[in-house]
């Protein structure tokens, strides 16, 4: 999932967004637990843009950390240590990210693990975290890590190309053949393109249009005009909220009110997006013509209930909506995986417990399946091997520490209730990505 | 030479000290000019002639002394008020509105008049400068130096001012045109009852029309007297021909 | 259907809005020699004032007028409270840019704290489209183009036919001479800042109407285009702003249709940089003069 997409391209607005974030209510994450000097306390770092135009993203990525440490502490801590979260601002800008993260890592005390990171800075920041020997779990989808090995970097969700393939497969499942592709021209959104094209090729379908558009333009008239010439039945559209809303409104205006169906990603699945689309295109359009593809989170499982409880306990705003998005769920799982690996290794030292990460996630005979940190600790104490299966389901890391998983298609009702419409499994995905 | 009958305008500067930075440029200068008279200021480059005019007009701050117009003190008065008191000013440079058409320049000259009077006055000044009639639609910035000066003087005459401050109105004009502007325009204006304070580089031509004159050197009055006296004073000639040395005043640094 | 002609139509539609925004910016520079970066925040402010009214079921065109007038008044207040003092103290162009940048950020901060960071919309979509040959525009875009043309014509008449307009141009080109003519240049400047605020308000609300979706970054994003148009046309030149707006509108839309659409907004910067290199004073700029409001 291209986490690097939210609000990118707003250069001037960035400074103001910084200020905005300070004021605009950031739920739990405005109160980062400062690392106390007590030697018993351990800290997890959230590396994400905390300021600038993508600050909202940092705010979301922090939520699962606060939720997870709450659950750890409730279960007696990690190896007896109380856990907290430290926020490290990568600013979303590669140039600032390197000094900021370097400084953040060296000045925060008792750091034991890391979560986070958006696509814009991942390629420069991951090596830094890696050389600090801090295990990091990420929901980042950058293709770069498909074949670059970092021993301390673990990817909990499938890469962007898989997400791209999933959107194309979903369009195919809906029976459409005239498919237009419109992606915002940033690394997160365009990362989906190879997957889309590969899946479409697999289905023997050619896109009727394949365009990349700038974010947050004041008008997309000419672009819309060339797309509508091709009469698409469906548009695979991936962009930030404002860009999508403007693009679709322009489409509506120029096409006498007719806008084709859209498949996008869960990245934008938020009340903000729902409201923007409802206002410009109507609740009916939102409810009947927009599907979202994202990592599959089975909301009926006990681990999901525990996860939601932890999110609520951490006072996350709109917890049920935030929790339902794949990247957030996978980061919550990642926190549990790191903590359980520490317990299994008997050490909070990254260089020691890093190799235990596959040992607490891989399915194997004799391993007891656990769904929460507390359960895992109990089984480990009883001398059992464990396999953690969290809210995103089982994960299996390949030699580059990538994992695959399930995708789901979501819809939203006119009253903005989200529901799951179907799912796309690893077998379909790997066939599409051949 | 003067038109004695009408109530006449009177301008006086008393011990004016003025300048831009720490050290004053104008050091204790006094002068007096009445309606019907031409007062000429000559002096070497950098002597402070333009600064003196600007000080009297309130453009450059007067630190000591005062400026009195018709018995009313106008020291450091905002420049825009002076137009209403009958004061007109032609600066040495930037003397027209470059990006305005010639007729618009004239209209801005008559800004304080009502529309009807403005139209009448345009007719009057065009009679004085008939050459302008053919260039009313041109932008002032595209005119030649001489044409510009014509527009500048025509503009200043628009509201029929009673006191005129002219800073080198003949700069760039041919000797012949200089003579005509000075003798046929400036002198005539004074004869119509206006008080004219004029700065000139061309000392001889300017002293010829002067009722009174001063030589300004490094901000102080080096010589002063009637036009006649000044024309005949060999020191005046020496100041100009002798590279700006004034025997009666400290040499400019 | 001819894509080029269609793109020209869209170019005119977006150029009209850019020209309006650019006019306000260029007037401020022409009269006060200030590159007012806070102009972006004023654009945003106008859009949100408009949003308040539209959400209260006020007719959007009335909302536009009210937002424009309020922005005009705030613009004068801003000039009186900050710019005038800085100019009197002889602040350099650079320090003015920094000061106005700071005000812009503070203003944006206030706007966000009041209205929130969410994506907003006036919800005016759905009016019919107008087809003129190969040009297809929404009814709203046509209305905005007509309005912009009317405003530009009005401004042209103001600047060339009225004493106030000529006084504005005179003040712009030669403030001292203007004062010596009895023009109250300070008052003329205030009126200009009012007018520029009104223009900002109209441009911003029109932009929000046709863009449909916006958030608090609308102004600062649009400001870049506005500055590009002003510079391309010749900063300080009202007709330059009009021409620059049209050029930027046309080139961005045509390039979006024929080059990669991804570079749509880069074109504005490219033009800006090219103009600064080739002819720093802009198309209509007078090479020898630093700035002025030409006629
Ligand atoms: N704006 C200014 N700031 C600082 N100093 C100035 C300014 N204008 C003039 N000066 C200085 O004041 C002195 C007098 O200048 P002024 O222009 O009054 O001379 P002038 O007698 O009119 O010369 P010219 O015959 O060359 O026109 C000069 O030394 C000049 O450098
Ligand atoms: Mg001089």
């Amino acid at each position: 999932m291209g986490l690097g997409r939210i609000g990118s391209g707003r250069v001037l607005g960035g400074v103001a967004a910084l200020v905005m974030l300070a004021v605009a209510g950031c739920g739990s994450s405005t109160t980062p637990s400062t690392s106390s000097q007590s030697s018993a306390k351990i800290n997890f770092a959230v590396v994400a843009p905390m300021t600038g135009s993508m600050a909202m993203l940092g705010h979301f990525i922090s939520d699962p950390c606060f939720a997870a440490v709450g659950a750890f502490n409730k279960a007696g801590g990690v190896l007896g240590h109380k856990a907290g979260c430290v926020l490290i601002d990568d600013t979303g800008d590669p140039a600032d990210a390197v000094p900021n993260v370097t400084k953040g890592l060296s000045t925060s005390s008792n750091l034991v693990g890391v979560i986070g990171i958006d696509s814009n800075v991942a390629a420069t920041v991951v090596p830094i975290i890696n050389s600090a020997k801090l295990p990091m779990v990420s929901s980042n989808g950058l293709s770069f890590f498909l074949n670059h090995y970092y021993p301390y970097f673990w990817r909990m969700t499938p890469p962007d190309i898989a997400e791209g393939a999933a959107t194309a497969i979903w369009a195919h499942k809906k029976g459409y053949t005239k498919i237009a592709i419109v992606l915002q021209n940033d690394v997160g959104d365009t990362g989906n393109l190879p997957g889309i094209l590969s899946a479409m090729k697999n289905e023997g379908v050619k896109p009727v249009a394949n365009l990349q558009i700038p974010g947050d333009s004041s008008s997309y008239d000419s672009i819309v005009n060339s797309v509508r010439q091709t009469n698409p039945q469906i548009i695979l559209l991936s962009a930030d909220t404002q860009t999508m809303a403007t693009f679709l409104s322009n489409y509506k205006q120029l096409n006498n009110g007719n806008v084709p169906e859209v498949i996008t990603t869960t990245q934008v699945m938020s009340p903000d997006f729902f409201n923007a689309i409802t206002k410009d295109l109507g609740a009916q359009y939102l409810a009947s013509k927009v599907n979202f593809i994202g990592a599959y989170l089975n909301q009926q499982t006990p681990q999901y209930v525990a996860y939601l409880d932890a999110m609520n306990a951490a006072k996350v705003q709109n917890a049920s909506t935030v929790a339902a998005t794949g990247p957030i769920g996978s980061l919550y799982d990642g926190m549990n995986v790191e903590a359980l690996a520490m317990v299994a290794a008997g050490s909070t030292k990254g260089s020691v417990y890093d190799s235990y990460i596959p040992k607490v996630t891989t399915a194997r005979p004799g391993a007891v399946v656990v769904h929460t940190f507390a359960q895992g600790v109990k089984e480990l104490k009883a001398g059992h091997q464990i396999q953690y299966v969290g809210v995103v389901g089982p994960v299996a890391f390949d030699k580059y520490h990538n994992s695959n998983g399930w995708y789901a298609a979501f819809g939203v009702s006119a009253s903005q209730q989200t529901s799951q419409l179907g799912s796309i499994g690893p077998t379909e995905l790997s066939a599409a990505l051949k | 030479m003067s038109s004695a009958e009408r109530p006449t305008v009177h301008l006086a500067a008393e011990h004016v000290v003025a300048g831009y930075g720490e050290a004053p440029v104008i050091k204790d200068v006094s002068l007096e000019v009445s309606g019907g008279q031409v007062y000429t200021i000559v002096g070497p480059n950098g002597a402070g002639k333009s600064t003196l005019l600007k000080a009297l007009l309130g453009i450059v701050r007067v630190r000591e002394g005062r400026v009195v117009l018709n018995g009313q003190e106008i020291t450091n008065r905002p420049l825009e008020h002076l137009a209403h008191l009958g004061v007109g000013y032609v600066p040495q440079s930037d003397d027209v509105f470059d990006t305005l058409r010639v007729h618009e320049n004239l209209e801005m000259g008559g800004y304080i008049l009502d529309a009807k009077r403005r139209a009448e006055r345009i007719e009057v000044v065009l009679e004085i400068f008939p050459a302008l009639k053919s260039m009313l639609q041109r932008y002032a910035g595209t005119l030649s130096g001489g044409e510009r000066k014509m527009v500048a003087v025509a503009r200043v005459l628009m509201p029929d001012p009673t006191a005129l401050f002219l800073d080198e109105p003949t700069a760039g004009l041919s000797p012949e045109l200089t003579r005509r502007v000075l003798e046929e325009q400036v002198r005539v204006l004074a004869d119509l009852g206006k008080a004219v304070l004029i700065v000139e580089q061309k000392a001889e031509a300017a002293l010829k029309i002067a009722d009174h004159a001063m030589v300004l050197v490094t901000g102080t009055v080096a010589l002063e007297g009637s036009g006649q006296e000044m024309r005949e004073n060999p020191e005046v000639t020496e100041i100009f021909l002798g590279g700006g040395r004034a025997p009666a005043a400290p040499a400019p640094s | 259907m001819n894509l080029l002609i269609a793109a020209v139509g869209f170019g005119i539609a977006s150029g009209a809005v850019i020209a309006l925004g650019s006019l306000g910016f260029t007037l401020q520079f022409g009269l006060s020699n200030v590159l007012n970066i806070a102009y972006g925040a004023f654009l945003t402010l106008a859009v949100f004032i408009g949003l308040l009214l539209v959400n209260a079921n006020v007719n959007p065109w009335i909302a536009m007028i009210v937002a424009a007038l309020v922005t005009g008044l705030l613009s004068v207040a801003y000039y009186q409270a900050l710019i005038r003092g800085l100019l009197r103290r002889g602040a350099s162009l650079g320090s003015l840019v920094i000061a106005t940048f700071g005000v812009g950020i503070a203003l944006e901060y206030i706007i966000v704290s009041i209205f929130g960071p969410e994506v907003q919309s006036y919800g005016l979509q759905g009016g019919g489209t107008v087809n003129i040959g190969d040009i297809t525009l929404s009814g709203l875009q046509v209305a905005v183009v007509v309005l912009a043309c009317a405003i530009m014509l009005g401004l042209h008449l103001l600047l060339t036919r009225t004493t106030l307009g000529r006084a504005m141009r005179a003040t712009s080109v030669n403030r001292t001479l203007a004062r010596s003519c009895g023009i109250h240049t300070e008052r003329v400047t205030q009126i200009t800042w009012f007018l520029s605020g009104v223009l900002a308000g109209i441009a911003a609300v029109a932009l929000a109407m046709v863009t449909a979706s916006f958030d608090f970054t609308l102004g600062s994003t649009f400001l870049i285009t506005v500055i590009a148009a002003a510079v391309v046309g010749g900063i300080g030149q009202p007709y330059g702003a009009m021409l620059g707006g049209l050029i930027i509108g046309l080139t961005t839309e045509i390039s979006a249709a024929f080059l990669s659409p991804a570079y749509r907004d880069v074109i504005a910067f490219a033009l800006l940089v090219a103009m600064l290199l080739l002819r720093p004073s802009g198309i209509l700029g007078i090479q020898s003069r630093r700035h002025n409001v030409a006629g």
Side-chain angles (χ1 to χ4, degrees):
Chain A
M1 9 229 83
L3 281 180
R5 142 195 333 151
I6 296 177
S8 52
R10 302 183 190 179
V11 186
L12 263 183
V15 192
L18 177 164
V19 182
M20 164 207 100
L21 188 78
V23 155
C26 297
S28 56
S29 37
T30 45
T31 50
S33 56
T34 45
S35 49
S36 88
Q37 293 308 309
S38 130
S39 65
K41 179 151 183 196
I42 57 170
N43 281 311
F44 290 82
V46 180
V47 177
M50 303 296 170
T51 56
S53 60
M54 301 200 302
M56 265 326 207
L57 180 64
H59 155 47
F60 284 129
I61 292 184
S62 315
D63 289 337
C65 185
F66 289 104
V69 296
F72 300 163
N73 293 338
K74 215 169 127 193
V78 181
L79 296 171
H81 299 284
K82 251 177 118 46
C85 297
V86 173
L87 307 186
I88 295 180
D89 183 10
D90 72 24
T91 71
D93 179 343
D96 296 335
V98 173
N100 273 20
V101 172
T102 310
K103 182 165 156 259
L105 293 179
S106 61
T107 55
S108 311
S109 56
N110 302 326
L111 280 189
V112 295
V114 180
I115 66 165
I117 212 130
D118 68 281
S119 298
N120 287 335
V121 304
T124 49
V125 167
V126 166
I128 297 174
I129 296 168
N130 202 67
S131 26
K133 296 202 162 79
L134 283 169
M136 166 175 204
V137 287
S138 176
S139 56
N140 179 276
L142 210 60
S143 300
F144 177 77
F145 297 109
L146 281 177
N147 46 18
H148 286 77
Y149 176 64
Y150 292 97
Y152 292 90
F153 183 69
W154 304 86
R155 190 134 72 161
M156 298 295 295
T157 43
D160 287 345
I161 58 161
E163 186 179 68
T167 55
I169 291 171
W170 187 245
H172 183 66
K173 281 190 173 178
K174 297 188 89 171
Y176 293 126
T177 50
K178 298 189 74 180
I179 300 168
I181 306 166
V182 178
L183 306 173
Q184 190 173 331
N185 61 342
D186 60 38
V187 64
D189 292 299
T190 54
N192 290 10
L193 186 60
I196 294 177
L197 292 176
S198 174
M200 286 180 75
K201 199 169 166 202
N202 187 48
E203 289 147 9
V205 181
K206 273 207 162 101
V208 293
N210 178 4
L211 295 174
Q212 293 184 18
I213 62 172
D216 300 330
S217 244
S218 55
S219 126
Y220 294 101
D221 285 337
S222 286
I223 300 162
V224 163
N225 206 37
S226 38
V227 174
R228 74 186 186 102
Q229 306 289 301
T230 66
N231 283 315
Q233 296 163 315
I234 195 155
I235 304 175
L236 307 185
L237 181 58
S238 184
D240 68 37
T241 294
Q242 192 190 322
T243 301
M244 281 178 66
T246 304
F247 181 87
L248 293 173
S249 318
N250 286 173
Y251 208 114
K252 182 180 179 187
Q253 293 225 322
L254 290 180
N255 208 35
N256 291 312
N258 300 315
V259 187
E261 284 192 33
V262 160
I263 299 178
T264 183
T265 67
T266 49
Q267 195 72 59
V268 289
M269 208 164 79
S270 68
D272 192 19
F273 180 79
F274 300 157
N275 292 335
I277 297 296
T278 301
K279 223 167 170 188
D280 288 345
L281 293 114
Q284 200 50 45
Y285 180 82
L286 178 68
S288 60
K289 303 233 166 141
V290 185
N291 285 182
F292 304 83
I293 300 291
Y296 172 56
L297 298 184
N298 186 345
Q299 303 193 7
Q300 310 309 322
T301 59
Q303 61 264 41
Y304 192 88
V305 175
Y307 160 56
L308 196 56
D309 281 349
M311 292 285 272
N312 280 320
K315 300 207 167 45
V316 171
Q317 285 184 348
N318 297 319
S320 58
T321 310
V322 173
T325 54
I328 303 305
S330 69
L331 288 173
Y332 180 80
D333 280 353
M335 289 287 295
N336 282 323
V337 167
E338 284 184 351
L340 287 171
M342 290 176 206
V343 176
S347 166
T348 60
K349 210 167 147 55
S351 55
V352 177
Y353 82 80
D354 190 58
S355 59
Y356 282 77
I357 286 180
K359 290 181 189 164
V360 297
T361 50
T362 310
R364 59 203 183 284
V368 183
V369 172
V370 298
H371 298 301
T372 64
F373 174 75
Q375 279 175 4
V377 171
K378 199 171 126 218
E379 296 298 333
L380 287 169
K381 274 191 178 153
H384 297 138
Q385 304 262 332
I386 60 164
Q387 181 203 356
Y388 172 78
V389 175
V391 290
V392 296
V395 289
F397 295 105
D398 68 8
K399 63 175 177 166
Y400 294 108
H401 294 180
N402 288 299
S403 60
N404 56 16
W406 284 75
Y407 276 96
F410 299 89
V412 58
S413 72
S415 57
Q416 305 195 353
Q417 295 302 308
T418 55
S419 60
Q420 198 179 306
L421 305 173
S423 60
I424 299 136
T427 349
E428 282 171 286
L429 287 169
S430 51
L433 290 170
K434 275 238 166 68
Chain B
M1 276 198 203
S2 61
S3 52
E5 298 304 316
R6 326 194 244 157
T8 179
V9 53
H10 181 86
L11 174 84
E14 298 165 11
H15 306 288
V16 167
V17 177
Y20 308 94
E22 285 288 300
V25 173
I26 300 301
K27 307 151 194 159
D28 190 20
V29 172
S30 300
L31 64 80
E32 233 177 304
V33 55
S34 299
Q37 293 182 334
V38 174
Y39 192 121
T40 299
I41 303 169
V42 291
N45 291 121
K49 305 180 295 293
S50 297
T51 305
L52 175 58
L53 289 201
K54 289 177 187 168
L56 301 187
L57 290 162
I59 300 170
V60 170
R61 190 158 185 82
V62 173
R63 297 177 198 171
E64 282 169 43
R66 44 188 226 133
V67 186
V68 180
L69 179 70
N70 301 332
Q72 186 182 2
E73 174 157 1
I74 58 161
T75 322
N76 294 329
R77 198 56 93 81
L79 179 58
E80 51 267 39
H81 292 179
L82 296 184
H84 296 271
L85 300 177
V87 174
Y89 171 47
V90 177
Q92 181 173 357
S93 55
D94 293 328
D95 50 355
V96 295
F97 298 109
D98 282 330
T99 56
L100 269 61
R101 294 173 197 274
V102 169
H103 78 88
E104 292 176 318
N105 267 274
L106 299 183
E107 268 147 27
M108 286 302 101
Y111 182 81
I112 59 171
L113 307 176
D114 62 38
K116 181 165 164 282
R117 179 111 176 94
R118 204 180 296 149
E120 288 168 9
R121 288 296 301 169
I122 288 182
E123 294 308 314
V124 174
V125 299
L126 286 181
E127 283 318 309
I128 303 173
F129 297 97
L132 290 183
K133 284 182 189 166
S134 65
M135 44 185 104
L136 286 176
Q137 292 303 323
R138 285 180 59 187
Y139 289 104
T142 68
L143 301 177
S144 78
E147 291 165 342
R148 264 179 88 96
K149 281 292 165 200
M150 260 191 269
V151 173
V153 176
R155 192 213 77 242
V156 82
L157 294 181
M158 275 294 296
D160 198 10
T162 50
L164 279 168
F165 290 63
L166 308 177
D167 196 345
E168 303 197 24
T170 69
L173 298 191
S174 66
E176 169 58 11
L177 205 53
T178 299
R179 190 193 60 77
R180 279 178 48 198
V181 166
L182 292 180
E183 289 177 14
E184 294 170 20
Q185 310 293 345
V186 178
R187 184 63 248 173
V188 170
L189 287 172
D191 293 343
L192 288 172
K194 301 178 196 306
V196 180
L197 191 56
I198 182 171
V199 170
E200 264 303 339
Q201 290 283 348
K202 298 161 180 165
E204 237 189 89
L207 291 176
K208 211 164 147 192
I209 59 158
D211 297 287
H212 213 86
M214 74 158 73
V215 178
L216 194 69
V217 178
T218 55
T220 44
V221 183
L223 289 168
E224 204 223 304
S226 73
Q228 177 84 26
E229 285 162 23
M230 298 295 277
R231 272 197 302 281
E232 288 161 3
N233 188 332
E235 286 180 57
V236 175
T237 342
E238 175 147 345
I239 286 171
F240 287 94
L241 300 179
R245 284 200 152 268
S253 51
Chain C
M1 183 170 190
N2 186 329
L3 277 183
L4 174 66
I5 295 179
V8 167
F10 301 134
I12 292 171
S14 61
V17 179
I18 299 169
L20 285 184
S22 203
L23 268 174
F25 184 79
T26 226
L27 282 177
Q28 293 179 348
F29 185 84
L31 264 283
S32 299
N33 210 9
V34 173
L35 278 175
N36 178 23
I37 304 301
Y39 191 74
F42 279 90
L43 292 167
T44 308
L45 189 65
V47 167
F48 278 93
I49 295 171
L51 181 69
L52 269 187
L53 295 166
V54 169
N55 284 347
N57 288 323
V58 174
N59 174 297
W61 299 102
I62 295 181
M64 175 190 271
I65 295 169
V66 175
L69 292 175
V70 173
T71 311
L73 292 175
L74 291 172
S75 176
V76 184
Y78 166 70
Y79 168 75
Q80 281 290 109
L82 182 80
I83 303 297
R84 203 167 69 123
L86 289 172
L87 287 172
R88 285 218 169 142
R89 251 162 259 149
S92 68
L93 192 62
S95 57
L96 279 162
V97 164
I98 290 164
T100 60
F101 184 70
V103 172
I105 288 174
L107 250 177
E108 222 173 69
Y109 163 90
I110 294 169
I111 293 168
V112 171
S113 66
I114 297 174
F115 296 99
E118 290 82 19
V119 176
Q120 305 280 3
S121 169
Y122 288 175
L124 303 179
Q125 279 27 73
T129 55
V130 178
N131 292 289
I132 312 152
D134 284 339
I135 294 180
T136 303
L137 293 176
S138 69
L140 209 51
Q141 282 175 317
V142 174
V144 165
V145 170
V146 170
L147 176 74
C149 289
I151 288 172
M152 287 188 261
L153 178 68
L155 196 71
H156 164 73
L157 293 177
L158 171 77
L159 287 174
T160 56
R161 301 289 154 83
T162 68
T163 303
L164 171 65
R166 287 169 180 157
M168 283 165 64
R169 288 160 57 211
T171 302
S172 164
V173 66
N174 194 334
R175 190 173 277 262
T176 303
L177 195 63
R179 291 179 67 202
S180 83
C181 292
I183 297 172
H184 286 269
T185 53
E186 222 16 81
R187 200 174 305 154
V188 168
T189 307
Q190 286 163 2
I191 293 171
T192 306
W193 279 80
F194 174 75
L195 266 181
S196 69
V198 168
L199 285 166
I202 293 174
V205 174
L207 179 70
M209 281 176 163
V210 295
T211 297
S213 282
F214 59 87
D215 64 11
F216 70 97
T217 62
L218 172 137
S220 45
T221 309
F222 190 47
L223 179 68
I224 298 169
T225 316
V226 159
I227 293 178
V231 170
V232 166
I235 184 96
Q237 313 276 348
Y239 301 106
M242 297 178 195
L243 188 65
L246 193 64
I247 290 174
I248 300 271
L250 285 172
T251 47
T252 51
E253 290 297 335
I254 292 172
S255 66
F258 291 97
L259 305 174
S260 167
Y263 300 111
R264 183 188 180 279
D265 295 341
V266 178
I267 299 294
F269 292 104
L271 277 176
L272 174 78
V273 172
M275 192 51 78
L276 287 175
L277 289 172
L278 298 176
R279 195 179 155 93
S281 51
I283 295 174
L284 296 189
I286 291 172
Q287 300 272 1
S288 59
R289 302 261 153 211
R290 260 201 0 274
H291 67 91
N292 43 47
V293 175

